[in-house]
Amino acid sequence: MHRFLLPLSVAVFAMPATAATPTPSGAHDTYSAAAGNAGEAAAALTLPAALALAMRANPDLSAARHEAAALDGAAQQARALPNPQLQTLVEDSRRATRSTTVQLNQTLELGGQRGARIDAARHGRDGAAHDLAAQRAATRAAVSVAFVEVLAAQEGLRLADSAAALARHAGDIAARRVAAGKASPVEQTRARVAEAAARLDANLAGGALAGARKRLAALWGNPAPPFSQAEGRLEPLPALPDEADLARRLGNAPAVLKARSALAQRTAMAQLERSRRTPDLSVSVGVKRSAELGRNQAIFGLSLPLPLFDGNQGNVLEALRRGDKAADELAAASIRSGAELAAARQTLQDARQQVEALRGDILPGAQSAYEAAAKGFEYGKFAFIDVLDAQRTLLQANTQHLRALADAHKAAAEIDRILGEPAHAAE
């Protein structure tokens, strides 16, 4: 009977838990952080290695980098001065009376247009930098969540395999009791049904693990993950961050900083449109050669548009209203980030409480009940249905424990995503 109980006991109490605490370097073969997708090996994958792969090859993150680089170019272009214009004018087609004018025209931006344009481009570049930071945080969180799902799926498969082995042992015992005339054939039928269900659960757990592995590797663009397993633990649990500390750090969340930069950019755009009410002044300097007079004449000129019909009022109004929109979006981003942060913290708190309850009372009680039912069935004191109920209760408790552990780490990853940096430490 001890052989009958051992597999589940190992699955319950010696299960390598899953989380973002990697195994020490050197304990197993792991991915090299310097290896590209083509160089991925069939070895154990740690969370730092997965993060390094995603930070290097995630397509969304690469797109955000390109956008930030593009806006660097826009900021550079905003500092450029208007090009001068070289103009040539020939009067009269007869050589003897022809006059030729060559002049250089230069536009002078008035009203602070260049400074406002530079400010708008600079704020746009800052917004792209904050967007890149937000994408980095989102990628880190996605990798952490996917890695935890792989670890949980691995442990779920181990648990399902243990349950299947347990069901086979139970079927053997039921068969021996029926052969000895100590139990009804119905008990053996129930045991076979339970064994078939356990095999089906193990197959489903294997499929869930395969899907989790693909979702993880897809974050660095690899549709066929070669790693043998994810190496890590779900314990210890992430610590619960202090609410006051989270509220203090919320103002520097990437989403809030991005919205703040967008508001600053819209304010600068409004100032730019106001400055465009002042017409640009064009200065001309040149020389005119008169063949008939046989001499050169210096030319100086000024050109100034008259804003009689177009005072740029529509563009100013549009910029002002878009500034109002950006202010509302900043308020919405702050509220949304605060609500998401509070929800993630609550999820982490609930998961921690659930894990504590399962560890303290539920798992030990379910294990004790199962052992008593199994021993009673062996000695003919309980029916096999009692063993099945106890086994089902124990497996459900272990599944809840595994889910609560994963939920805790997913909530911690969500907090990190919102804040843009780690906000928790393991207990």
Side-chain angles (χ1 to χ4, degrees), residues 190-230:
R190 286 174 175 169
R192 289 174 179 172
V193 171
E195 183 178 351
R199 287 197 303 268
L200 177 60
D201 288 341
N203 291 336
L204 293 175
L209 175 57
R213 287 163 54 87
K214 290 182 179 180
R215 287 192 296 274
L216 174 59
L219 291 172
W220 55 83
N222 189 342
F227 62 89
S228 59
Q229 65 175 2

Side-chain angles (χ1 to χ4, degrees), residues 239-249 341 345 419 423-424:
L240 186 66
D242 181 68
E243 286 185 290
D245 181 59
L246 293 181
R248 177 181 58 81
R249 298 168 61 186
L341 192 60
R345 184 184 184 279
L419 295 178
H424 66 282

Side-chain angles (χ1 to χ4, degrees), residues 58-410:
N58 182 267
D60 292 330
L61 188 55
S62 179
R65 290 193 186 101
H66 289 310
E67 179 65 16
L71 288 182
D72 281 340
Q76 177 182 346
Q77 183 61 35
R79 294 191 292 269
L81 295 170
N83 288 323
Q85 180 184 19
L86 180 64
Q87 182 178 355
T88 302
L89 177 64
V90 178
E91 300 177 63
D92 202 340
S93 59
R94 294 171 297 179
R95 179 175 299 179
T97 57
R98 180 182 303 166
S99 63
T100 304
T101 303
V102 178
Q103 67 182 40
L104 190 66
N105 304 324
Q106 177 64 55
T107 299
L108 303 179
E109 296 179 298
L110 304 180
Q113 291 185 44
R114 182 170 180 268
R117 185 174 65 247
I118 292 173
D119 285 344
R122 176 172 56 83
H123 289 303
R125 181 186 59 191
D126 292 344
H130 294 313
D131 190 39
L132 177 58
Q135 187 58 52
R136 283 198 188 101
T139 302
R140 285 196 303 268
V143 172
S144 298
V145 168
F147 192 82
V148 166
E149 288 178 347
V150 172
L151 291 173
Q154 288 178 172
E155 299 310 324
L157 178 59
R158 290 192 183 103
L159 186 60
D161 288 340
S162 296
L166 206 62
R168 287 194 298 271
H169 284 292
D172 293 342
I173 292 176
R176 290 196 299 269
R177 286 181 55 79
V178 170
K182 297 181 180 180
S184 168
V186 175
E187 303 290 350
Q188 187 174 2
T189 301
R190 286 174 175 169
R192 289 174 179 172
V193 171
E195 183 178 351
R199 287 197 303 268
L200 177 60
D201 288 341
N203 291 336
L204 293 175
L209 175 57
R213 287 163 54 87
K214 290 182 179 180
R215 287 192 296 274
L216 174 59
L219 291 172
W220 55 83
N222 189 342
F227 62 89
S228 59
Q229 65 175 2
E231 191 68 43
R233 293 178 54 84
L234 283 179
E235 302 204 35
L237 286 172
L240 186 66
D242 181 68
E243 286 185 290
D245 181 59
L246 293 181
R248 177 181 58 81
R249 298 168 61 186
L250 183 61
N252 291 323
V256 176
L257 292 177
K258 179 183 176 182
R260 194 173 295 155
S261 292
L263 175 58
Q265 183 184 23
R266 288 301 177 184
T267 302
M269 289 295 294
Q271 181 58 37
L272 176 61
E273 295 301 336
R274 288 192 190 96
S275 68
R276 285 174 176 167
R277 287 176 171 176
T278 303
D280 294 337
L281 178 65
S282 295
V283 178
S284 301
V285 179
V287 62
K288 181 177 181 179
R289 173 67 181 179
S290 175
E292 185 177 8
L293 297 177
R295 62 188 179 88
N296 296 330
Q297 296 174 300
I299 296 176
F300 300 95
L302 295 175
S303 175
L304 183 68
L306 299 177
L308 299 179
F309 306 111
D310 181 7
N312 207 37
Q313 300 94 331
N315 288 334
V316 171
L317 179 61
E318 178 188 3
L320 290 174
R321 297 294 79 82
R322 291 190 182 278
D324 295 338
K325 176 188 175 184
D328 292 339
E329 289 174 342
L330 173 57
S334 299
I335 294 172
R336 181 171 56 253
S337 297
E340 291 175 351
L341 192 60
R345 184 184 184 279
Q346 186 63 49
T347 299
L348 176 56
Q349 183 177 359
D350 293 343
R352 285 170 52 86
Q353 291 175 349
Q354 187 176 8
V355 168
E356 291 173 359
L358 286 164
R359 287 173 180 169
D361 300 321
I362 299 175
L363 279 174
Q367 178 70 22
S368 177
Y370 173 76
E371 291 175 353
K375 181 174 289 188
F377 172 69
E378 184 180 8
Y379 290 106
K381 296 181 180 180
F382 294 113
F384 187 71
I385 189 65
D386 297 322
V387 179
L388 289 179
D389 287 341
Q391 178 182 344
R392 187 180 302 111
T393 299
L394 181 57
L395 293 176
Q396 288 175 349
N398 277 280
T399 301
Q400 290 176 351
H401 182 240
L402 186 59
R403 187 182 301 116
L405 288 171
D407 287 345
H409 287 279
K410 290 178 182 179

Side-chain angles (χ1 to χ4, degrees), residues 31 33 45-56 139 143-144 147 216 219-220:
Y31 275 85
L45 177 68
T46 64
L47 179 58
L51 288 170
L53 288 168
M55 288 298 164
R56 186 167 56 251
T139 302
V143 172
S144 298
F147 192 82
L216 174 59
L219 291 172
W220 55 83

